[in-house]
Amino acid sequence: MGKYKRLPKHIGVIPDGNRRWAVGKGMSKHDGYDYGIGPGMKLYEACLELGVEEMTYYGFTMDNVKRPSLQTKAFQKACVDSVNALKEKDADLLVLGNTDSKVFPKELLPYANKRTKFGEGKMKVNFLVNYGWNWDLNHALKETTEESSTDFTKGIASKDISRMDMILRWGGRRRLSGFLPVQSIYSDIYVFNELWPAYKDEHLHEALSWYQETDVTLGG
Amino acid sequence: MGKYKRLPKHIGVIPDGNRRWAVGKGMSKHDGYDYGIGPGMKLYEACLELGVEEMTYYGFTMDNVKRPSLQTKAFQKACVDSVNALKEKDADLLVLGNTDSKVFPKELLPYANKRTKFGEGKMKVNFLVNYGWNWDLNHALKETTEESSTDFTKGIASKDISRMDMILRWGGRRRLSGFLPVQSIYSDIYVFNELWPAYKDEHLHEALSWYQETDVTLGG
């Protein structure tokens, strides 16, 4: 704590590269996801210690489930296991995604689309599960309140997730891939070439050191 | 032509760093914008020669006009001059932005929110002028057609602008700053530390060389 002058309040995480990592280790693609759970917990604990207030993990999307069934099952399981691990670690948890589909893991239904405090509920943690950017935005067209009829952002499915200050992406791709289009508008995006299962706390510190040097203008 | 195996069909451009460049040259901040017009034309001509089909320039936003009036006047003029230059160079032009405001340059009203072919109309060029991401998205709540009532993207103000394959940003900031949230969903983002007035065609080729190595999955 106090190590950084500027600390992002909300960090988004795109944990990409599980399949490439597995293949590099001589395993099958679907084996990679299981090795992504530990890194997720490690990063959460490092952020908690620093005083980060909110984190959002990009679990899997409605597009991802078009992949071979072995892979789909593997990342579904990795999400369930990750959420269960976060429950043990004082997360104030929101699982967000389209539950109107069999691909949404039923084990996560109790935590879907509402916030649940575990333990001391030390940090808001959002986990996107069977999420889709168009599903998220189209939600604004469905249920219109007085507020949401003039401000689109008040009606999206992810309206309870705050603006992300920084997005960390592993696996070298320099893009957002549909990760919360509204909350990522002003986010600083930091990309690691390392694959997600190879996460080290040094990565977080590298990104935070960079973050000290950049300014925040929110479009001004 | 034919130099690159994979060519982005649509390139987005965030020409950032004009003010920092001017200060670095011992000029006033607002002096920088005028030096950004030439680079914009150079980049357009290089893309045209390669066979790029569409380009979008991030001109100025509804947030930007909160800046000091000398700066606002300078970037308004730079946009007008850029559009006039593109008219001479066979652009199929769309100026997109909020025209319900005095800060929208009246010289650009004839080209606002519709496409106009100049000369042979060789490339679709979109120029965002007094654009706002929330203005763009909120548009979907206002005029609802049968199509747009279920597909949000059919009702946004920028619905006639296609998905961007690659976004080039000058000036070192690693973020989108509200640049077309829907069209940037799957875009590969390439950031140059060089400031925009220091644009060289080598930058474009550096980004395209990188683009050869990355894959396109569109979230799959």
Side-chain angles (χ1 to χ4, degrees):
Chain A
M1 290 213 210
K3 187 170 174 183
Y4 296 103
K5 241 178 161 173
R6 290 185 63 219
L7 191 67
K9 281 189 184 176
H10 183 175
I11 295 181
V13 180
I14 305 181
D16 194 22
N18 296 281
R19 293 180 294 175
R20 284 174 279 161
W21 183 88
V23 169
K25 296 280 175 189
M27 296 187 266
S28 297
K29 283 182 178 179
H30 67 268
D31 290 327
Y33 296 107
D34 199 37
Y35 291 87
I37 303 169
M41 293 308 294
K42 242 182 116 175
L43 176 57
Y44 167 72
E45 292 187 2
C47 288
L48 194 59
E49 201 180 315
L50 286 166
V52 172
E53 294 173 21
E54 186 166 357
M55 287 179 79
T56 300
Y57 287 94
Y58 206 12
F60 71 88
T61 68
M62 293 160 71
D63 283 329
N64 293 155
V65 296
K66 294 168 194 159
R67 292 181 187 167
S69 136
L70 262 180
Q71 289 180 32
T72 300
K73 277 179 192 149
F75 61 64
Q76 286 169 320
K77 183 177 182 303
C79 285
V80 173
D81 291 350
S82 296
V83 167
N84 283 333
L86 286 163
K87 282 164 57 181
E88 302 297 318
K89 297 281 182 185
D90 292 343
D92 184 1
L93 185 76
L94 167 71
V95 173
L96 183 83
N98 182 0
T99 56
D100 297 341
S101 158
K102 272 187 277 185
V103 299
F104 188 95
K106 62 179 186 316
E107 300 90 326
L108 299 183
L109 281 172
Y111 320 114
N113 305 326
K114 64 165 195 276
R115 212 169 270 288
T116 313
K117 241 180 210 198
F118 290 95
E120 296 177 47
K122 286 179 182 165
M123 196 208 290
K124 283 187 180 177
V125 183
N126 315 305
F127 215 100
L128 306 191
V129 171
N130 200 36
Y131 171 87
W133 66 270
N134 29 19
W135 166 83
D136 187 3
L137 302 186
N138 277 332
H139 196 272
L141 300 172
K142 284 181 204 164
E143 296 157 47
T144 319
T145 62
E146 201 182 346
E147 229 188 347
S148 74
S149 68
T150 52
D151 180 356
F152 170 77
T153 65
K154 299 283 192 282
I156 59 179
S158 62
K159 63 179 183 298
D160 294 329
I161 298 184
S162 73
R163 183 173 65 69
M164 295 181 283
D165 301 295
M166 186 159 79
I167 294 173
L168 305 178
R169 180 170 188 146
W170 277 263
R173 312 281 192 236
R174 305 186 191 183
R175 57 195 179 220
L176 288 172
S177 306
F179 187 38
L180 295 172
V182 166
Q183 290 85 348
S184 64
I185 292 273
Y186 297 120
S187 308
D188 284 299
I189 306 162
Y190 197 89
V191 175
F192 304 96
N193 286 322
E194 289 91 345
L195 306 172
W196 172 243
Y199 168 78
K200 289 177 194 161
D201 285 343
E202 285 78 2
H203 297 167
L204 175 64
H205 293 295
E206 176 191 321
L208 288 175
S209 297
W210 172 78
Y211 190 74
Q212 303 311 300
E213 306 301 320
T214 194
D215 69 335
V216 172
T217 61
L218 301 180
Chain B
M1 289 212 212
K3 186 169 174 182
Y4 296 103
K5 242 178 161 173
R6 291 185 62 218
L7 190 67
K9 281 189 183 174
H10 183 176
I11 294 180
V13 180
I14 305 181
D16 194 22
N18 297 281
R19 292 180 294 174
R20 283 174 280 161
W21 183 87
V23 169
K25 296 280 177 192
M27 295 187 266
S28 298
K29 283 183 177 178
H30 67 268
D31 290 327
Y33 295 107
D34 198 38
Y35 291 86
I37 302 169
M41 291 310 294
K42 243 183 117 177
L43 176 58
Y44 167 71
E45 292 186 1
C47 287
L48 194 59
E49 201 180 315
L50 286 166
V52 172
E53 295 173 19
E54 186 168 357
M55 287 179 79
T56 300
Y57 287 93
Y58 206 11
F60 70 89
T61 67
M62 293 160 72
D63 283 330
N64 293 156
V65 296
K66 295 168 195 159
R67 292 181 188 167
S69 135
L70 262 179
Q71 289 179 33
T72 300
K73 277 180 192 146
F75 62 64
Q76 285 169 321
K77 182 177 183 303
C79 285
V80 172
D81 290 350
S82 295
V83 167
N84 283 332
L86 286 163
K87 283 164 56 180
E88 303 297 317
K89 296 282 182 184
D90 291 343
D92 185 0
L93 186 75
L94 168 71
V95 173
L96 183 83
N98 182 1
T99 56
D100 296 341
S101 158
K102 271 186 278 184
V103 298
F104 188 95
K106 61 180 188 317
E107 300 90 326
L108 298 183
L109 281 171
Y111 320 113
N113 305 324
K114 64 166 195 272
R115 211 170 270 288
T116 314
K117 240 179 210 201
F118 291 94
E120 295 178 48
K122 285 179 183 163
M123 195 207 293
K124 284 187 179 177
V125 183
N126 316 306
F127 215 99
L128 306 192
V129 171
N130 200 36
Y131 172 86
W133 66 269
N134 28 21
W135 166 82
D136 186 3
L137 302 186
N138 278 332
H139 196 272
L141 300 173
K142 284 181 203 163
E143 295 157 46
T144 318
T145 61
E146 200 182 348
E147 229 187 349
S148 76
S149 68
T150 52
D151 180 356
F152 170 77
T153 65
K154 300 282 192 280
I156 60 179
S158 62
K159 62 180 185 298
D160 294 330
I161 298 184
S162 74
R163 185 172 64 70
M164 294 181 283
D165 301 295
M166 187 160 77
I167 294 173
L168 306 178
R169 180 171 188 145
W170 278 263
R173 313 280 192 239
R174 305 186 192 183
R175 56 193 180 224
L176 289 171
S177 306
F179 188 36
L180 295 173
V182 166
Q183 289 86 346
S184 64
I185 292 273
Y186 297 120
S187 308
D188 285 298
I189 306 162
Y190 197 89
V191 176
F192 304 96
N193 287 323
E194 290 90 347
L195 305 172
W196 171 244
Y199 168 78
K200 289 177 193 161
D201 285 345
E202 285 79 1
H203 296 167
L204 174 64
H205 293 294
E206 175 191 321
L208 288 174
S209 298
W210 171 78
Y211 190 72
Q212 304 311 299
E213 306 301 321
T214 195
D215 68 336
V216 174
T217 60
L218 300 181

